[in-house]
Amino acid sequence: MLLEAQGIVKLFGGFRAVDGADLSLNRGEIVGLIGPNGAGKSTFFNCLAGDLRPNAGRIVFDGHDLTLATPEAHARRGLARTWQVPVVFAEMAVRDNVMVGAFLRHPQARAARRKADEVLEFTGLAAQADAPAGSLGTLGRKRLEIARALATEPSLLLLDEALAGLNATETQVAIDLVRGIHARGVTLIIVEHVMSVILSLAQRAVVFNQGHVIAAGAPQAVIEDEAVIEAYLGKRFRRPVP
Amino acid sequence: MKKRHLLFVVLGILVLAWPLVLHGVFIQHVAALLVLAAISASAWNIVGGYGGQVSIGHAMFFGAGAYGALAAYTDFGWPPVAGVPLGIIAALLIAVLVGLPTFRLQGHYFSMATIAAVELLRILLSNVSVLGASVGLMGPARPRGLADLSFRSPVPYYYLFLAVLALLLVVTAWMERSRLGFYLRAIRGGERGARSLGVPVVRTKLIALMISAGFTALAGGLYALMVGFIDPESGFGLLISVKMVIIAALGGAGTLWGPLVGAAILIPLEESTNALFGGSGTGATYVVYGAIIVLISRFLPGGIAELVQLLSVKARRRAA
């Protein structure tokens, strides 16, 4: 078991954004987190990454209790994340952005640079290495976020809508990138709206609605689940038989 | 690259050798002040420029250094230079005491907290009689020996300051390439992203502030050595802090050479307006500072460094 989250509750005032959600994850899995807007999946995700402190519940990652640990402690333990809206260091060069991540395991600048260049090559950003990160478009920024996170050499990578807002070609390139990351031995949790992405990438899908996990299992089975269809579309409308 | 090296050699020779040729006391005095201002602004630049933590309270470290030097003389009869380390230690303590609570604040709130801290210290100090209260402290009126480092000509001070500036530039250049420098720039770029990559934000800021405070205190000690007088206003006054920020911002905050360029422009300007309009550090000086703040923030937030970069990019495009 790489990650075990039990009974996670997150309150915003009186609103129970996440209300007793569980998730356990084996090493080497790709798990998709899906659900309609406002279902609480991003909040849950932020609790896992240490950016929000859950009000109740317990998160154990790789044998360490990280329930109330800081984001930087998560990174040190090998749990990296990207953001839905990229937060790259716009004034720094692309390579320097990645080096910030690489410094976590390689305190010497030369080693960090070598690691950064390797990750840039892998993520297809090598050509833009010297450009300021602020000059990248959305696609490039999302890719840079993934590169930065990879440079911290995580065992678990959380991708928050890394593929949102991409066109069909870009999505395919991104899917290949995620597969490549998985092939390097990184376990992944992906939050995604685009169902086709979940279907082609995830081995398991976990569906959120109103702060609860309402279904979990193989993606194809999950999307045919009555409760899931109802959460997304409402109750099936029965056409009156003429 | 070759051309650039040559430029540095020529500049280096000019910086080192001009006092042998020019003997005017005014220009020598201005040059010494210029180098001193470059030291303070470069020290500020470590945390304020690279780290983006815009402290407007760095006078608290400058004042600590200056008071350390002259209190050692007044209260113990030591040569002022022996008090400089005391001032640096005091500045490091202040850095930890002020840094830990204020680093939780971001942006303008951090700046305002540093102003509050330095004003508090200034007012406290005005009531401490062993530190001269509001009258201030004097250095030895006549040198008792070489250890007092009391010279008539500004030139020895100029070379002393130059040596300290060189040391600070070496430290900054090393930092720029090291993990500390990358982490500081990451923090300036966004704390949320930095933390998610494992950057220990508070520890990084604190280390930077301590390096910065140590060198600012050293600048204050050197100032006290040369001027031989310090009072709450000239040590902890708001204008002392503001000056460091303006010099660094004018030249280019977060760059190695920016504070030097800023000092090379601002100090001669300030000394000439003082000489032309009379009064020292009042009236016209404020007008000049205000105008510079407005112009930089409106037209050139990256300072002259940004301008140079823009021009060189344009030139390269034209060449290509």
Side-chain angles (χ1 to χ4, degrees):
Chain A
M1 199 74 71
L2 182 62
L3 177 81
E4 175 105 64
Q6 279 177 335
I8 303 303
V9 174
K10 181 66 196 175
L11 307 172
F12 293 120
F15 175 64
R16 303 177 82 85
V18 176
D19 195 4
D22 303 328
L23 178 71
S24 54
L25 200 66
N26 288 315
R27 215 174 267 278
E29 272 194 291
I30 303 183
V31 170
L33 231 57
I34 56 176
N37 281 326
K41 53 189 191 305
S42 274
T43 306
F44 180 66
F45 183 98
N46 281 325
C47 289
L48 294 183
D51 291 291
L52 288 175
R53 296 172 132 215
N55 297 91
R58 198 168 124 85
I59 298 168
V60 177
F61 174 72
D62 208 4
H64 301 278
D65 187 331
L66 293 186
T67 313
L68 299 175
T70 58
E72 50 269 41
H74 281 72
R76 272 199 302 277
R77 290 283 180 214
L79 197 159
R81 71 163 299 170
T82 66
W83 303 82
Q84 195 173 338
V85 179
V87 289
V88 300
F89 311 128
E91 288 177 13
M92 295 172 75
V94 167
R95 178 188 290 112
D96 292 1
N97 266 267
V98 180
M99 278 178 75
V100 172
F103 271 118
L104 183 63
R105 313 273 179 225
H106 307 276
Q108 295 300 321
R110 192 177 301 174
R113 192 186 158 106
R114 210 176 306 129
K115 177 72 196 170
D117 281 336
E118 186 250 310
V119 173
L120 286 170
E121 194 67 48
F122 173 73
T123 49
L125 281 167
Q128 287 108 304
D130 295 314
S135 69
L136 297 179
T138 309
L139 179 66
R141 283 174 193 229
K142 293 201 159 185
R143 189 162 280 238
L144 175 55
E145 282 223 319
I146 294 175
R148 259 184 356 182
L150 280 180
T152 65
E153 300 175 20
S155 47
L156 174 61
L157 179 59
L158 310 179
L159 298 178
D160 194 0
E161 305 209 4
L163 280 62
L166 305 185
N167 67 31
T169 324
E170 291 166 350
T171 302
Q172 193 49 52
V173 174
I175 285 176
D176 291 341
L177 177 60
V178 174
R179 288 219 174 95
I181 295 168
H182 185 237
R184 285 162 71 114
V186 179
T187 308
L188 288 136
I189 298 181
I190 50 181
V191 170
E192 208 46 76
H193 270 304
V194 189
M195 205 58 81
S196 65
V197 171
I198 297 290
L199 286 175
S200 63
L201 275 176
Q203 297 149 353
R204 199 148 63 88
V206 175
V207 188
F208 268 72
N209 192 32
Q210 298 183 339
H212 301 278
V213 174
I214 56 165
Q220 193 62 49
V222 157
I223 62 165
E224 283 160 11
D225 186 287
E226 277 298 326
V228 174
I229 295 171
E230 191 183 315
Y232 270 93
L233 303 173
K235 274 207 163 45
R236 186 180 292 272
F237 177 72
R238 289 195 190 281
R239 194 181 295 268
V241 185
Chain B
M1 265 301 154
K2 276 262 168 73
K3 222 182 203 175
R4 208 170 148 192
H5 286 168
L6 191 70
L7 182 74
F8 272 111
V9 170
V10 169
L11 264 177
I13 290 171
L14 275 179
V15 163
L16 283 172
W18 69 266
L20 306 175
V21 186
L22 293 173
H23 297 289
V25 173
F26 179 73
I27 192 167
Q28 290 172 345
H29 182 72
V30 171
L33 287 179
L34 191 162
V35 178
L36 192 67
I39 296 172
S40 316
S42 297
W44 176 89
N45 191 37
I46 291 174
V47 69
Y50 289 98
Q53 307 301 308
V54 180
S55 155
I56 312 184
H58 256 51
M60 61 183 118
F61 311 125
F62 186 88
Y67 268 88
L70 294 187
Y73 168 74
T74 312
D75 294 331
F76 312 123
W78 298 357
V81 69
V84 173
L86 291 183
I88 293 176
I89 291 168
L92 294 179
L93 281 176
I94 296 172
V96 174
L97 287 176
V98 172
L100 281 179
T102 54
F103 277 147
R104 303 170 68 90
L105 302 169
Q106 307 217 331
H108 297 121
Y109 297 101
F110 172 75
S111 304
M112 287 185 328
T114 58
I115 295 177
V118 71
E119 284 293 283
L120 199 68
L121 279 172
R122 186 178 63 84
I123 293 163
L124 276 176
L125 195 73
S126 309
N127 293 291
V128 178
S129 54
V130 285
L131 293 174
S134 55
V135 180
L137 297 173
M138 300 272 278
R142 198 169 291 155
R144 297 165 299 175
L146 195 63
D148 276 348
L149 290 181
S150 181
F151 310 104
R152 261 204 195 156
S153 156
V155 175
Y157 296 109
Y158 173 76
Y159 284 116
L160 176 64
F161 298 172
L162 215 52
V164 172
L165 179 62
L167 172 69
L168 177 52
L169 287 179
V170 168
V171 170
T172 310
W174 162 82
M175 187 205 75
E176 221 177 32
R177 291 180 184 83
S178 73
R179 178 162 77 170
L180 178 61
F182 277 80
Y183 276 8
L184 281 173
R185 287 195 290 148
I187 289 169
R188 184 177 62 184
E191 288 192 13
R192 218 164 44 132
R195 293 185 75 185
S196 77
L197 296 174
V199 176
V201 171
V202 171
R203 198 203 315 165
T204 304
K205 285 183 186 175
L206 195 62
I207 291 170
L209 184 66
M210 289 177 78
I211 298 174
S212 176
F215 274 101
T216 311
L218 181 53
L222 297 173
Y223 170 83
L225 282 184
M226 181 169 85
V227 175
F229 169 71
I230 197 77
D231 67 359
E233 196 54 44
S234 60
F236 289 80
L238 194 57
L239 201 59
I240 309 292
S241 305
V242 169
K243 202 161 133 181
M244 295 181 215
V245 183
I246 293 185
I247 288 174
L250 174 63
T255 63
L256 183 61
W257 301 104
L260 272 61
V261 174
I265 295 170
L266 196 78
I267 299 304
L269 193 66
E270 179 190 326
E271 291 299 319
S272 342
T273 49
N274 284 349
L276 276 175
F277 300 113
S280 53
T282 52
T285 310
Y286 281 106
V287 175
V288 171
Y289 284 4
I292 290 174
I293 292 175
V294 170
L295 289 175
I296 296 176
S297 40
R298 174 66 185 83
F299 296 108
L300 209 63
I304 289 167
E306 185 183 304
L307 188 69
V308 170
Q309 205 186 359
L310 284 176
L311 291 178
S312 73
V313 168
K314 262 189 196 158
R316 233 177 294 149
R317 273 206 199 128
R318 213 170 295 146

